[in-house]
Amino acid sequence: MAYKKKTREDYQKEVQALTDKMETQLASHFVSQESIKEHLDFMSRFHRYSTRNMLLIEEQFQGARAVGSYAYWEKQGVQVQKGEKGIKIFVPSPVTFIKRETDWVAWKDATKTEQNRAKEGSLPTWKAMYYKIGHVFEYTQTDAREKGLEVSELFASYHRNGSIREAESFRRALNGIAETQDVKILDQPLSELGTAKGCFYPELNAIALNPRNSDIENVTVLIHELAHANLHNLERNEERGIELNPHEQEFQAEMVAYTVAAHFGLSTDEFSLSYLANWTQGRDLRDKEDLLYEVHQTSGHFIRDIHTALEKEQILEREASPIKMIEYIEQTAQVTEHGLPLAERLERIMQHSPEDVGAYLTSIAKQDTQQDLSSFDEPMMLVHGATDFFEPFAKANDRDFDEHETVAYTLVIPGEEPISQHFRILDDAMGPYHHILNTEVVSKETEQLLEKAWYDEMISTEDRDLEKVRQIVTRHSNVPEQDFRSR
């Protein structure tokens, strides 16, 4: 059977059918608290997709955890399983039109002359946004599991496994969101809050938390109040053209708080969407889509900002603690065996995250030597496995290395960041100094400094060896001392 090319009308029908699916899925969420919470759970995992595409993914593949295009999976070294059907989504497709006398024609239909004139600005143009249908595939539709790749590895910036360890870290992240939104968090509420856990004051663009709250309560309450500050401030109400009533505002804020909490593994048992039934009365589909769009945008914004803040904090913690950095890099590279030789550990890290090798060796150097690397006043080096302390560069370099040995070293130049590298003797270099020159990791000035130190060490070594020979010969053979002269 010959392939029949789709017409523009065919594509329009397909887009309309997909739109109908999306609208049916949207309507189904506002039936009960349970159904809207199910959707918010889904939203917490797919906050980077548009509201419409999120609805389409949910309708076509229940329980989806992570999706990507065919090209995305290929880039990760993952193959979509044979026979798997793609999940249809809307893909933005902007089209530029060129003015031709009294008509507008699409850029692709215009002549070369018209296109050139449009580029020069002598013919008017305008852009319109259309949507075509694209396809994505869910994690379980690929061979990622067979290859031992978890969702958290493939979608590091999209998904996180586990829960927040410390409420204080999360609170600092939320304080950062408040600062970027120019929202003030008051030390005390302006009046007694009673059993209310928090309050947003639109006129002041300020938030207050109930002093009786626990630390973990303050986290979820602060998300809720920040949602109010984002969605229901005076400027936002003016843009919206209407001011939502208190029930509608609470409904939206609680949805945002639930979505963010679900994403980060915080308990959602106490969340209540009690205003759902009242809000849905007399609402059309457009109202519901607008409501979810605002919740989706705000939730996604909060989730991304919180991730960024927590990741920065984790990086600072790792940098301050060598043992934490070592554990993190070994976990990333799946180094789980205890006592694995350093060369094999480095090989694993090179396979998974080669950019981490330097930090790994530097952290080992700090941990093993317990020396303050900022206190050195001359170039110092540690050859890993040879000693457990830093030595002057030339002395550390003056070793006999096995021709098949993997050598790892950490070099510290005063006032500069440590340099940690590894290499194989004969394959790459004859020693650390030779490898440093080959890799060009230091300035010419530093090269000269290291060269002088190495030259002085060789001369000193020769002098020491000559002195030993002199002592032996003069002691046993009665040769006059003046016949042996040092350099």
Side-chain angles (χ1 to χ4, degrees):
M1 182 176 171
Y3 170 74
K4 183 182 177 183
K5 186 177 179 180
K6 291 182 179 179
T7 64
R8 183 173 294 182
E9 289 73 23
D10 291 332
Y11 281 116
Q12 287 175 343
K13 286 178 183 177
E14 198 171 353
V15 169
Q16 185 57 52
L18 212 54
T19 302
D20 293 342
K21 272 189 176 184
M22 183 273 295
E23 291 177 348
T24 302
Q25 184 72 6
L26 173 61
S28 71
H29 292 316
F30 291 87
V31 175
S32 65
Q33 282 197 51
E34 289 68 30
S35 61
I36 194 66
K37 281 182 177 180
E38 281 180 14
H39 177 66
L40 296 178
D41 283 329
F42 194 88
M43 184 186 290
S44 75
R45 299 192 296 275
F46 289 90
H47 58 91
R48 287 186 179 269
Y49 280 85
S50 70
T51 307
R52 292 185 168 201
N53 280 338
M54 190 171 50
L55 289 163
L56 286 173
I57 294 167
E58 187 181 18
E59 193 276 336
Q60 295 170 76
F61 205 104
Q62 291 185 2
R65 287 184 292 164
V67 301
S69 66
Y70 192 92
Y72 169 82
W73 290 118
E74 272 196 330
K75 189 176 178 182
Q76 305 303 316
V78 172
Q79 191 62 46
V80 174
Q81 303 279 22
K82 189 175 181 180
E84 288 290 353
K85 193 176 179 183
I87 302 165
K88 294 179 180 180
I89 61 171
F90 292 126
V91 178
S93 181
V95 177
T96 300
F97 290 88
I98 299 174
K99 185 70 175 290
R100 178 188 287 169
E101 297 179 354
T102 57
D103 296 325
W104 291 91
V105 294
W107 186 279
K108 65 181 181 66
D109 296 327
T111 65
K112 281 286 183 186
T113 302
E114 289 171 331
Q115 290 175 359
N116 289 333
R117 289 183 63 194
K119 287 176 185 177
E120 294 166 359
S122 58
L123 278 183
T125 62
W126 69 283
K127 288 186 178 180
M129 182 61 74
Y130 293 90
Y131 290 88
K132 59 184 180 181
I133 295 175
H135 295 83
V136 291
F137 298 86
E138 210 272 337
Y139 169 75
T140 56
Q141 293 180 286
T142 73
D143 62 0
R145 287 174 298 177
E146 288 81 349
K147 291 181 175 176
L149 298 171
E150 297 294 332
V151 169
S152 56
E153 292 178 57
L154 293 163
F155 295 84
S157 61
Y158 289 55
H159 302 273
R160 285 282 179 209
N161 292 338
S163 58
I164 299 305
R165 290 177 297 124
E166 297 178 32
E168 192 55 40
S169 295
F170 206 78
R171 174 67 186 269
R172 284 193 289 270
L174 293 173
N175 287 347
I177 292 176
E179 191 175 337
T180 58
Q181 289 186 196
D182 200 25
V183 176
K184 187 174 182 181
I185 300 178
L186 304 177
D187 294 331
Q188 292 289 330
L190 299 182
S191 58
E192 174 61 57
L193 293 182
T195 58
K197 297 185 184 297
C199 181
F200 169 59
Y201 305 101
E203 298 81 6
L204 302 174
N205 205 33
I207 287 170
L209 302 175
N210 196 319
R212 303 181 187 90
N213 294 346
S214 67
D215 287 344
I216 196 64
E217 280 179 324
N218 273 337
V219 168
T220 52
V221 173
L222 190 50
I223 300 170
H224 179 105
E225 300 306 334
L226 282 170
H228 278 307
N230 184 277
L231 291 167
H232 310 131
N233 59 64
L234 300 178
E235 187 178 336
R236 191 71 178 268
N237 289 337
E238 191 175 332
E239 287 175 3
R240 196 183 281 115
I242 57 168
E243 184 173 351
L244 303 179
N245 66 47
H247 294 296
E248 293 168 334
Q249 291 181 9
E250 286 302 315
F251 185 37
Q252 270 194 321
E254 193 73 344
M255 289 172 82
V256 171
Y258 181 98
T259 304
V260 176
H263 179 86
F264 287 100
L266 299 170
S267 174
T268 56
D269 294 343
E270 295 184 9
F271 281 88
S272 172
L273 300 172
S274 56
Y275 295 116
L276 173 63
N278 290 334
W279 185 85
T280 53
Q281 292 176 9
R283 299 288 180 175
D284 60 24
L285 204 62
R286 183 66 184 176
D287 291 330
K288 294 173 182 177
E289 187 176 359
D290 288 346
L291 174 85
L292 276 187
Y293 174 78
E294 290 191 345
V295 169
H296 180 208
Q297 291 294 99
T298 303
S299 302
H301 161 55
F302 285 5
I303 288 169
R304 289 189 290 275
D305 282 2
I306 292 167
H307 268 311
T308 300
L310 293 177
E311 284 166 1
K312 282 182 181 176
E313 192 163 294
Q314 287 171 353
I315 290 169
L316 291 174
E317 283 179 8
R318 290 198 295 271
E319 288 176 346
S321 169
I323 191 66
K324 284 187 178 179
M325 180 66 83
I326 293 166
E327 290 172 351
Y328 168 76
I329 294 173
E330 287 185 348
Q331 183 181 9
T332 302
Q334 300 175 18
V335 178
T336 55
E337 301 92 330
H338 294 294
L340 200 65
L342 178 61
E344 292 185 37
R345 280 179 275 153
L346 292 174
E347 190 176 333
R348 295 269 188 94
I349 295 167
M350 285 296 293
Q351 290 173 355
H352 287 83
S353 54
E355 69 279 1
D356 288 336
V357 168
Y360 183 67
L361 289 172
T362 300
S363 298
I364 290 176
K366 291 177 180 177
Q367 182 67 21
D368 288 353
T369 67
Q370 295 295 304
Q371 289 179 267
D372 180 6
L373 307 193
S374 64
S375 65
F376 300 149
D377 55 8
E378 64 172 306
M380 302 286 281
M381 187 165 71
L382 169 75
V383 177
H384 292 264
T387 63
D388 58 0
F389 55 89
F390 277 86
E391 301 174 285
F393 163 74
K395 187 176 180 181
N397 188 68
D398 188 21
R399 282 185 166 79
D400 292 325
F401 298 101
D402 183 88
E403 62 179 15
H404 299 297
E405 185 179 357
T406 295
V407 178
Y409 63 90
T410 297
L411 171 67
V412 179
I413 308 295
E416 297 182 20
E417 289 296 313
I419 297 167
S420 290
Q421 301 192 114
H422 72 294
F423 64 96
R424 282 181 62 84
I425 293 293
L426 295 185
D427 289 349
D428 300 313
M430 294 180 293
Y433 175 56
H434 184 205
H435 188 252
I436 289 165
L437 296 180
N438 287 347
T439 52
E440 299 180 344
V441 291
V442 297
S443 66
K444 290 296 180 185
E445 184 181 358
T446 301
E447 276 187 17
Q448 292 170 3
L449 180 68
L450 298 180
E451 182 181 13
K452 183 178 184 308
W454 178 228
Y455 177 78
D456 290 345
E457 178 66 21
M458 286 191 296
I459 296 300
S460 175
T461 300
E462 288 179 10
D463 287 345
R464 286 195 302 271
D465 291 344
L466 189 59
E467 175 63 20
K468 287 179 183 177
V469 172
R470 184 192 66 75
Q471 291 175 4
I472 293 170
V473 171
T474 55
R475 189 180 305 123
H476 298 289
S477 304
N478 296 318
V479 176
E481 278 193 32
Q482 59 266 29
D483 288 353
F484 292 87
R485 293 198 181 103
S486 298
R487 292 175 186 269

